Amino acid sequence: MLKRYAISPDIIAFSTDRAGGVSIGPYATFNVNPFCGDDPQHVEWNRQLLCDELGIPADHLIIPHQVHDIKIRRIDRTFLSSHLEKQVKSLEGIDAVYTTEKGVCVCVSTADCIPVLLYHAGAGIVAAIHAGWRGTCARIVASTFSHLKKTFGVEGTGFKAVICPGISLESFEVGDEVYEAFQKEGFKMESIARKFPAGTGEKWHIDLWECNREQLLQQGVPSSQIQVAGVCTYKNPDLFFSARRLGIKSGRILNGIMMIP
């Protein structure tokens, strides 16, 4: 059910795999995402299984509706005490969530996109970031750090980070327009892009893991404090959901992080 990451004894950080749930078809079996077309009853059942595993109430599992943007939402006591309808509305169009509340699991959903989890022990902050190619190109990781620095006065050196399973360089074939978008935004193309032979010639491939790792380094996070799972979702569709393999109407990986109460 869970691929766990060793960040700190005070932290639970994980990515869900496909096993251990009740969903069927392309959502089989452990899909917790309510926005991808799965049976709502199956999603709710899987959600409760996950909350039982984490030891938290269902309303402390925070799952935003992502739109490949760079908007960030804080999950605080005001949010937690508000009506469910207001919570859902405030999580619409959000691609990064963070909290300073213990026992609250902030999450992002992925199925080839890159999830980034953050923890700052000194300030007591956990964050989950959804970095698809558009969000990566728009530097959502850097935007999140800028927001956290402004809000809490923290520096990147105090963070630990995990880059969770997502599509690899070898599997992420893109058109010239995507390559040019990264080039226009000033990414080091020699570090993040390569051409691979394809059926109709050579095609560009982008390394989204490295794109996001470089952003973490640029924000001051030491290399020794960055974990890269190194698991390609496209190459492992039996273990993890992959939209490129299974289609958009399929399940999603849930990547979450929380401070243990």
Side-chain angles (χ1 to χ4, degrees):
M1 181 187 291
L2 299 184
K3 175 179 174 58
R4 294 177 181 260
Y5 307 105
I7 297 180
S8 165
D10 305 322
I11 292 295
I12 294 175
F14 65 89
S15 298
T16 58
D17 59 30
R18 295 189 63 180
V22 300
S23 294
I24 60 176
Y27 304 100
T29 60
F30 196 69
N31 170 61
V32 189
N33 182 286
F35 308 111
C36 58
D38 195 3
D39 184 323
Q41 290 186 327
H42 290 166
V43 173
E44 185 61 29
W45 196 336
N46 289 335
R47 182 188 180 103
Q48 190 58 56
L49 288 171
L50 177 58
C51 289
D52 291 344
E53 178 74 14
L54 297 175
I56 60 173
D59 61 354
H60 281 202
L61 185 70
I62 309 301
I63 306 174
H65 186 198
Q66 303 151 193
V67 294
H68 298 272
D69 204 342
I70 59 171
K71 291 181 181 177
I72 303 159
R73 175 72 64 215
R74 181 175 184 172
I75 308 303
D76 55 16
R77 292 183 183 179
T78 300
F79 174 94
L80 294 169
S81 63
S82 62
H83 191 274
L84 177 60
E85 184 177 336
K86 186 175 181 180
Q87 291 183 2
V88 171
K89 185 176 181 180
S90 71
L91 290 172
E92 178 66 31
I94 301 299
D95 283 80
V97 284
Y98 72 95
T99 191
T100 58
E101 302 293 327
K102 292 183 178 181
V104 175
C105 187
V106 289
C107 306
V108 290
S109 305
T110 55
D112 291 330
C113 293
I114 308 303
V116 181
L117 305 177
L118 303 176
Y119 172 52
H120 192 293
I125 304 166
V126 289
I129 305 169
H130 165 247
W133 80 258
R134 290 179 179 84
T136 298
C137 192
R139 290 188 167 85
I140 187 171
V141 167
S143 294
T144 302
F145 270 87
S146 178
H147 176 88
L148 294 176
K149 287 177 181 179
K150 183 177 180 180
T151 304
F152 299 101
V154 292
E155 295 299 327
T157 52
F159 281 91
K160 294 182 178 181
V162 181
I163 298 174
C164 306
I167 197 164
S168 64
L169 167 70
E170 293 80 5
S171 299
F172 189 45
E173 180 182 302
V174 302
D176 289 345
E177 73 282 359
V178 175
Y179 176 92
E180 291 164 3
F182 279 88
Q183 188 177 48
K184 182 180 179 181
E185 291 302 320
F187 282 84
K188 299 176 182 178
M189 303 311 292
E190 66 276 11
S191 299
I192 67 161
R194 283 177 57 191
K195 276 193 171 182
F196 286 78
T200 56
E202 291 193 328
K203 298 289 185 180
W204 282 112
H205 288 232
I206 299 290
D207 189 342
L208 294 178
W209 297 346
E210 183 61 19
C211 288
N212 287 287
R213 193 183 76 88
E214 286 186 4
Q215 287 184 61
L216 291 168
L217 292 171
Q218 289 164 3
Q219 295 303 312
V221 183
S223 179
S224 61
Q225 293 171 199
I226 302 172
Q227 297 181 45
V228 181
V231 179
C232 177
T233 47
Y234 183 83
K235 292 179 180 178
N236 295 278
D238 293 336
L239 294 174
F240 295 101
F241 292 110
S242 168
R244 284 202 170 197
R245 285 281 196 188
L246 302 169
I248 296 299
K249 294 291 185 179
S250 60
R252 299 293 186 271
I253 304 161
L254 195 68
N255 310 273
I257 186 168
M258 63 177 275
M259 292 178 285
I260 299 172

